């Protein structure tokens, strides 16, 4: 099936991830639909977005099921759709909703170094996932409201998070515990033990999306260099024979490790988008774009398949992975842990990035 047809069929049958409550999983699909519209100008992508998102946004900007005092950074991501929706319709509710999300960030708890906690229920912790969930929205909101301080704060949070999660191998661990209280946290560094591919995918997309919105000036110079190094390291970890990336990124030979679709889609998107927007050194640009195209081709050719009922699905997506939690379901962050989570098809966390990567390939070719 042509990817465009698959995305259209997926969007038609998609039901909001958490029963209509505002959530990041829906936000992944919304981002994908926005990118497809930007790449093609086809109104059906905006129609899907309005059909799915509009019922979640009240006239006063209230969001379905959203409680800012949960201080869950995940809830911010879907807010990026509000800027695109506001361009499409003269409706104040989109701006009012964005203001509500920005209000959460105003009082969101932070570690001593300044980074947002991942969630109130995960205190003192910074996860790579959260950088994508919160910081590009903060930058876009800062730009749209003329609040330069929000942009400067986001850039500082990126810099600090990278320092706190960096490995000696040029990659970044999934999380950091400032309190050193979690069993998964190294008592000296606070770092979690492993490099999970999708966590690095969230990070790569966060960096690229943020830098695309900002000028190439002194304020962003260091982050651009770090982003370039990360993308080069990601490219070097690509499995040559398949074009994809393993679930545990820094342990390709780990027994049971497998090539995971959502992270591969995220890397394809980040590599192609960075190349198209000139975020990489000239001698690395084409190689990075080619690596992204190879991954996208592999995903289209091997992971978009019909199930036993004849319905086309996007397969081999790890359903979820995290750190810590509660007794009886404690996630220790070890390399082996990431191989125990269920693998599913058509999850929003994979399909959204695949939409984005495909749209990026169209824009690069135009």
């Amino acid at each position: 099936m042509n990817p465009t047809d698959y995305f259209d069929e997926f969007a038609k049958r998609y039901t909001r991830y958490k029963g209509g409550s505002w959530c990041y999983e829906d936000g992944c699909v919304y981002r994908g639909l926005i990118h497809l519209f930007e790449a093609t100008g086809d109104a059906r992508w905006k129609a899907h977005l309005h059909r799915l998102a509009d019922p979640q946004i009240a006239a006063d900007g209230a969001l379905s099921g959203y409680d800012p005092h949960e201080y869950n950074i995940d809830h911010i991501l879907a807010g990026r759709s509000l800027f695109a929706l506001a361009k499409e319709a003269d409706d104040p509710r989109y701006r009012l909703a964005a203001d509500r999300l920005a209000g959460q960030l105003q009082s969101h708890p932070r570690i001593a170094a300044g980074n947002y906690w991942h969630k109130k229920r995960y205190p003192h912790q910074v996860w790579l996932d959260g950088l994508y969930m919160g910081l590009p929205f903060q930058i876009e909101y800062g730009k749209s409201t003329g609040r330069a301080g929000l942009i400067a704060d986001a850039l500082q949070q990126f810099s600090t998070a990278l320092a706190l999660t960096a490995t000696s191998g040029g990659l970044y661990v999934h999380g950091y515990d400032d309190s050193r209280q979690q069993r998964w946290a190294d008592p000296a560094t606070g770092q979690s033990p492993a490099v999970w591919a999708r966590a690095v995918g969230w990070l790569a997309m966060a960096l690229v999306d943020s830098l695309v919105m900002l000028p190439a000036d002194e304020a962003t110079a260091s982050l651009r260099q770090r982003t370039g190094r990360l993308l080069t390291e990601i490219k070097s970890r690509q499995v040559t024979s398949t074009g994809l990336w393993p679930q545990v990124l820094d342990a390709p030979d780990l027994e049971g490790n497998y090539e995971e679709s959502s992270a591969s889609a995220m890397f394809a998107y980040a590599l192609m988008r960075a190349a198209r927007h000139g975020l990489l050194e000239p001698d690395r640009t084409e190689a990075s774009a080619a690596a992204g195209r190879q991954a996208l081709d592999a995903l289209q050719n091997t992971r978009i398949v019909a199930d036993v009922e004849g319905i086309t699905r996007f397969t081999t997506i790890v359903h979820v992975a995290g750190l810590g939690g509660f007794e009886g379901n404690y996630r220790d962050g070890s390399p082996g842990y990431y191989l125990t989570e269920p693998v599913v098809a058509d999850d929003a966390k994979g399909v959204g990035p695949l939409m984005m990567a495909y749209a990026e390939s169209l824009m690069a070719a135009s």
Side-chain angles (χ1 to χ4, degrees), residues 134-202:
L135 298 185
F137 170 88
Q138 180 166 312
I139 289 171
E140 195 162 3
Y141 185 83
K143 284 172 61 71
S144 69
T145 57
R147 298 173 64 182
L150 293 177
I151 298 170
D153 175 70
L155 292 174
Q156 182 58 54
Q157 288 198 52
F158 272 126
S159 179
T160 302
L162 291 174
L164 294 174
T165 58
T167 72
S168 59
L171 293 170
Y172 298 88
V173 297
H174 188 177
Y176 164 81
D177 175 19
D178 200 49
S179 70
R180 312 297 200 272
Q181 295 300 304
Q182 290 297 313
R183 296 203 306 269
W184 55 256
D186 182 284
T189 66
Q191 291 186 350
S192 61
V195 177
W196 176 37
R198 189 157 77 207
V200 180
W202 294 127

Side-chain angles (χ1 to χ4, degrees), residues 23 91 143 145 149 173 183 202 206 239 260 305 312 318 331 353 359:
C23 65
D91 189 333
K143 284 172 61 71
T145 57
V173 297
R183 296 203 306 269
W202 294 127
V239 179
E260 197 274 328
V305 298
T312 302
V318 63
R331 300 167 294 186

